[in-house]
Amino acid sequence: MGTAVSKNLELSTNEYCVKYVGKEPISINNPFWNTFLSYNLVPPTTVNEQLAFESRIESLLQELLKNNPKTGNFGILIQIFIEKTNELLSATITESNLFNWQLFNTIFIIRCTLKFLTEVLKEEDIMKHIELGNTRNVMEDFLGSLVGIIVDVPIDDYTYLIHLESATCLLLCLSIQYHSGGKSDHSTIYRLMMRGKHVIHAPILVKRLITNFIEQRKMPSGYTGNDGHSIVLNLASNIWSVLTFNKKYSEETNNTLEHPYQESPLATQSLLLLLVLVHHWTTQSNPYRNSLFSCLDSEDTNPVPPSKVASLFKIDFNLLYLALCKKASGDAATLLLYLLLHRNQSFKTYILNREDLDLLIVPILKSLYNAPNSNSHHIYMSLIIILILSEDDSFNETIHDLKLKNASWYVERALNDISLGGLLILIVIRTVQYNMLKMRDKYLHTNCLAALANMSAHFRNLHPYVSQRLVSLFETLAKKYNRLISRLKTETSHKDNTITIEADQESEDTEQDVSVLEEVLRMVLEILNSCLSTQLSNNPNLIYTMLYNKSMFEAFKDNVVFQDIIHNIDIILKYFSQLLHDKSLEHEVDAHQVLLIIQQGVRGWPKERLTKFPDLKFKYVEEDQPEDFFIPYIWALVGQQSILHWVNDNYPTIMVV
């Protein structure tokens, strides 16, 4: 039977490990390799287990680093992997558990070695370690073998870890850009990935990676190390067992490093690999990027244009949509959703035609609601998704037709019978106010207000609380604006009496703050005006709230910055104020009667009295050199979600939760 993993085995003195990293070259036909690759292994499943394992093999890898330039043993191991993969792909080996076991062991040792080398060597030196003594392009064949496994080998309990390690090895090869901080365009490995002979499989690889994400396969039972079994169950083995990690060390290590591996590690790793592939090599034709952006729904029966056949694949958009809904609160899934919405028109159209948009939007809103516990990058991407969707009028109308029974996670106020549109407005407003207090980021403000502006002409039947928060947003901004104006007057007066560099700088800073706030205030007024100009009859609660706070709007009537837009709002408020005044002369009115008067008053509303303003339409445009934002973000995700914990001074740390 498969022997249990020994917890006392010391890897640094194990004869097989010592020989592999030693000073003697080992030929590819040496029986040593068959013995060396016949061990039982439970791979690490947490960051701490990974770190514990790496600490136990570091001395061995240091020896390999010193000796491999002469022995070439690492390159030989990769050749063995390539040959074994060729056997697997050519179907000369079928359903052999022993073969799959050794293939996994081979690729796992390669993964451990690659991770170490990519962290300590430059790309050209890594290539020398791999290509030593070989006339063929071993690296290209190695990459091709990894791709071949992912696209051609069926996934079952005995090949799951082979697929997982193949994706991990590809990530490690591509991490050369992360560790160097250079551009992927100048990398030999990236050139091979983007231009090598295996590129013909790019569409199939992208499809397989997306399928892995959709399927969310769990780690097969018996592979997690919780039951004391080895990777190969019921397989005779009298060779040797390897201790992969020290549990006691793992438990004693700082808990802040512990990041439980996902229940579906292959899905996680596949998604991360896809994101790395499509976000690099963006200044040239990227076959993986092109395939993702052109994929179609498998239910689409329209013929594929001949010019797109080579790069195009079809996938079930319904399954992809449901998978994205389930994972919409996560960083990596949010990035995939962004890419598809922004660059794949077919998928964007498909989503906009869904009648269950709440399945996708509510998790995104929940992430924004929990902004204090999220990283700023995730907040940005969630808002950009909302902005992209808000560009479509049908979306803006549909969200107000979808009623939500309850949003129990919104703790400030019970939100019974609120529309998806109302909840969306509420969360975006809350994000603006959070940004004002904590982040003070103009770019985030711009995206929030642009989304609200796009939706404003379709605001319908706003919940009383949503109306209150919308007017409260203006009130908060107005108070801050008035404080800044007062400060500016004081600083100007002080500057006239005392001319100093410090006084000049303070005054300039305040003037800039005033200018920014004027833009934001005007945008909020334009949003209110757009809503009232187009949806007056459908928003009695908003009119009611604005009437209650009309003095706040009147205070801006004489300000030249807001005068034109305030003029419309003032006409509306005066009209309804007069109606209420007339009714109050007849009898006292309560809140319910005020709403009835408003609802009756809109029927006789002379809309021609309002000044016509251009429609509020904003479109998301990706900034120049977006890789400056995306690449560090994606590698931070890889480092934390794939348990390949690493630190690199080339990139700032991004806390991903």
Side-chain angles (χ1 to χ4, degrees):
M1 298 296 292
T3 57
V5 175
S6 166
K7 292 192 175 183
N8 301 310
L9 185 64
E10 182 52 58
L11 291 178
S12 61
T13 57
N14 178 270
E15 62 176 303
Y16 300 102
C17 294
V18 170
K19 185 170 183 177
Y20 166 61
V21 304
K23 297 180 180 180
E24 298 297 322
I26 309 169
S27 68
I28 196 169
N29 296 318
N30 193 309
F32 161 83
W33 293 110
N34 187 56
T35 306
F36 179 55
L37 299 175
S38 300
Y39 60 86
N40 292 336
L41 170 67
V42 178
T45 57
T46 69
V47 172
N48 280 349
E49 289 175 355
Q50 178 67 29
L51 290 173
F53 180 59
E54 289 178 9
S55 72
R56 304 197 67 205
I57 63 173
E58 184 174 1
S59 61
L60 291 168
L61 293 172
Q62 290 286 359
E63 284 297 305
L64 184 71
L65 179 66
K66 181 173 64 177
N67 296 324
N68 191 69
K70 295 179 181 178
T71 67
N73 287 342
F74 181 49
I76 295 296
L77 182 62
I78 288 181
Q79 287 186 61
I80 291 171
F81 168 73
I82 293 170
E83 290 183 2
K84 286 182 177 294
T85 303
N86 288 338
E87 291 181 52
L88 186 65
L89 296 176
S90 63
T92 57
I93 301 294
T94 58
E95 298 183 358
S96 170
N97 294 340
L98 177 60
F99 182 86
N100 291 337
W101 174 39
Q102 286 198 332
L103 180 59
F104 165 73
N105 290 342
T106 306
I107 193 172
F108 182 79
I109 296 172
I110 291 172
R111 187 254 273 192
C112 295
T113 308
L114 265 180
K115 184 174 187 294
F116 177 77
L117 294 180
T118 56
E119 290 174 336
V120 300
L121 294 178
K122 295 180 179 179
E123 181 180 20
E124 54 267 31
D125 295 323
I126 294 174
M127 295 293 288
K128 290 176 183 176
H129 273 267
I130 293 173
E131 304 283 353
L132 181 68
N134 288 290
T135 55
R136 64 176 183 173
N137 191 334
V138 177
M139 177 56 84
E140 183 172 17
D141 290 345
F142 176 55
L143 295 174
S145 294
L146 295 173
V147 171
I149 286 173
I150 294 173
V151 301
D152 287 330
V153 175
I155 302 174
D156 56 32
D157 284 0
Y158 291 99
T159 61
Y160 184 96
L161 287 182
I162 296 173
H163 275 267
L164 179 59
E165 292 302 325
S166 295
T168 303
C169 279
L170 281 174
L171 278 170
L172 286 169
C173 290
L174 297 172
S175 73
I176 197 70
Q177 182 278 331
Y178 164 80
H179 291 293
S180 70
K183 291 188 176 296
S184 57
D185 306 43
H186 305 149
S187 162
T188 300
I189 291 174
Y190 273 88
R191 179 179 55 78
L192 292 172
M193 263 321 280
M194 302 295 169
R195 297 286 182 269
K197 55 190 178 184
H198 54 272
V199 166
I200 59 172
H201 299 304
I204 308 173
L205 176 61
V206 173
K207 181 177 182 178
R208 181 70 258 176
L209 295 176
I210 294 177
T211 301
N212 289 347
F213 167 69
I214 290 172
E215 292 177 346
Q216 293 290 316
R217 288 174 181 258
K218 295 184 178 181
M219 182 86 82
S221 60
Y223 286 58
T224 58
N226 296 324
D227 54 7
H229 294 297
S230 60
I231 179 176
V232 182
L233 306 179
N234 303 319
L235 181 66
S237 173
N238 57 1
I239 307 176
W240 63 289
S241 300
V242 173
L243 173 63
T244 60
F245 40 78
N246 184 314
K247 288 288 185 182
K248 184 178 180 182
Y249 174 92
S250 176
E251 291 167 0
E252 292 175 352
T253 305
N254 189 336
N255 287 333
T256 58
L257 293 178
E258 195 69 42
H259 186 290
Y261 208 20
Q262 305 289 334
E263 285 188 354
S264 310
L266 180 57
T268 300
Q269 212 78 325
S270 296
L271 179 54
L272 293 170
L273 176 56
L274 177 62
L275 293 174
V276 169
L277 285 170
V278 300
H279 276 102
H280 290 78
W281 201 270
T282 54
T283 60
Q284 305 181 51
S285 179
N286 178 327
Y288 310 97
R289 190 175 175 87
N290 296 340
S291 294
L292 179 66
F293 295 165
S294 61
C295 71
L296 298 175
D297 187 4
S298 58
E299 298 298 312
D300 185 353
T301 57
N302 293 323
V304 176
S307 60
K308 294 186 176 181
V309 169
S311 64
L312 192 145
F313 67 89
K314 290 188 175 185
I315 199 161
D316 191 325
F317 278 3
N318 177 57
L319 294 179
L320 177 55
Y321 174 78
L322 294 176
L324 287 168
C325 291
K326 290 178 182 177
K327 299 295 179 180
S329 60
D331 290 77
T334 299
L335 278 173
L336 177 59
L337 176 59
Y338 160 76
L339 286 169
L340 291 168
L341 284 174
H342 181 46
R343 302 300 295 267
N344 188 313
Q345 187 57 48
S346 296
F347 189 74
K348 181 180 180 181
T349 301
Y350 174 83
I351 281 189
L352 291 170
N353 288 327
R354 296 282 303 204
E355 295 181 355
D356 54 358
L357 282 169
D358 53 307
L359 296 179
L360 180 66
I361 302 302
V362 170
I364 295 173
L365 297 182
K366 193 173 180 180
S367 294
L368 289 172
Y369 179 80
N370 293 319
N373 300 319
S374 301
N375 66 80
S376 60
H377 292 64
H378 192 197
I379 295 171
Y380 284 138
M381 298 316 303
S382 299
L383 283 171
I384 289 170
I385 287 170
I386 297 297
L387 176 56
I388 291 172
L389 291 171
S390 74
E391 295 168 8
D392 186 84
D393 287 343
S394 66
F395 170 81
N396 297 330
E397 292 175 3
T398 300
I399 56 176
H400 290 286
D401 294 329
L402 286 169
K403 297 297 180 181
L404 305 177
K405 292 182 179 179
N406 190 21
S408 57
W409 44 268
Y410 192 97
V411 298
E412 287 92 334
R413 169 79 175 261
L415 298 175
N416 298 320
D417 197 32
I418 191 172
S419 70
L420 178 61
L423 182 62
L424 196 159
I425 296 166
L426 204 57
I427 298 300
V428 173
I429 290 172
R430 191 176 184 276
T431 305
V432 171
Q433 292 176 321
Y434 169 74
N435 183 50
M436 288 168 57
L437 290 173
K438 301 292 185 181
M439 299 172 68
R440 299 174 63 83
D441 189 301
K442 183 182 176 182
Y443 181 69
L444 190 146
H445 259 1
T446 301
N447 282 330
C448 286
L449 295 173
L452 288 174
N454 284 344
M455 296 185 288
S456 60
H458 303 275
F459 288 174
R460 296 199 318 278
N461 303 315
L462 293 185
H463 191 282
Y465 184 62
V466 177
S467 301
Q468 292 169 23
R469 300 313 300 163
L470 192 53
V471 174
S472 176
L473 173 61
F474 178 78
E475 181 182 21
T476 302
L477 293 167
K479 287 180 178 178
K480 187 173 183 180
Y481 177 74
N482 289 330
R483 287 196 300 269
L484 284 174
I485 291 295
S486 297
R487 185 197 301 174
L488 184 60
K489 288 178 180 178
T490 302
E491 290 171 354
T492 303
S493 174
H494 179 70
K495 187 169 65 172
D496 291 340
N497 298 323
T498 308
I499 302 176
T500 65
I501 295 175
E502 291 81 2
D504 284 345
Q505 186 60 52
E506 285 181 7
S507 182
E508 287 178 13
D509 290 346
T510 304
E511 286 178 0
Q512 185 175 1
D513 289 344
V514 168
S515 177
V516 170
L517 200 51
E518 282 177 345
E519 290 179 23
V520 175
L521 262 173
R522 183 172 176 87
M523 179 69 84
V524 173
L525 287 171
E526 288 179 346
I527 289 167
L528 290 170
N529 177 69
S530 171
C531 172
L532 295 175
S533 298
T534 56
Q535 299 288 340
L536 191 71
S537 61
N538 294 318
N539 284 295
N541 289 318
L542 180 59
I543 298 170
Y544 179 98
T545 307
M546 292 179 70
L547 283 170
Y548 188 79
N549 296 275
K550 65 177 181 178
S551 60
M552 183 174 61
F553 295 97
E554 289 171 349
F556 285 84
K557 282 200 307 184
D558 298 326
N559 189 314
V560 293
V561 178
F562 314 109
Q563 214 166 35
D564 56 340
I565 202 78
I566 281 284
H567 177 70
N568 271 4
I569 293 173
D570 187 53
I571 290 174
I572 294 169
L573 295 182
K574 280 183 176 178
Y575 171 80
F576 286 100
S577 293
Q578 186 62 49
L579 289 179
L580 291 173
H581 175 72
D582 294 344
K583 287 292 183 181
S584 65
L585 292 177
E586 300 173 10
H587 55 81
E588 191 172 330
V589 293
D590 58 20
H592 176 68
Q593 290 170 323
V594 170
L595 274 175
L596 288 177
I597 293 168
I598 291 171
Q599 289 167 344
Q600 293 167 0
V602 295
R603 298 170 189 167
W605 164 245
K607 64 170 63 177
E608 65 278 358
R609 294 173 59 187
L610 296 182
T611 302
K612 176 67 176 174
F613 284 87
D615 292 340
L616 295 179
K617 290 290 183 183
F618 293 89
K619 189 173 179 63
Y620 169 71
V621 178
E622 201 169 64
E623 291 190 346
D624 294 337
Q625 297 182 315
E627 60 272 13
D628 292 345
F629 171 88
F630 286 109
I631 289 178
Y633 181 26
I634 290 165
W635 282 118
L637 292 177
V638 173
Q640 295 185 40
Q641 292 188 6
S642 69
I643 74 167
L644 292 176
H645 185 80
W646 52 45
V647 178
N648 184 354
D649 293 336
N650 289 312
Y651 292 122
T653 300
I654 299 169
M655 291 307 298
V656 179
V657 294

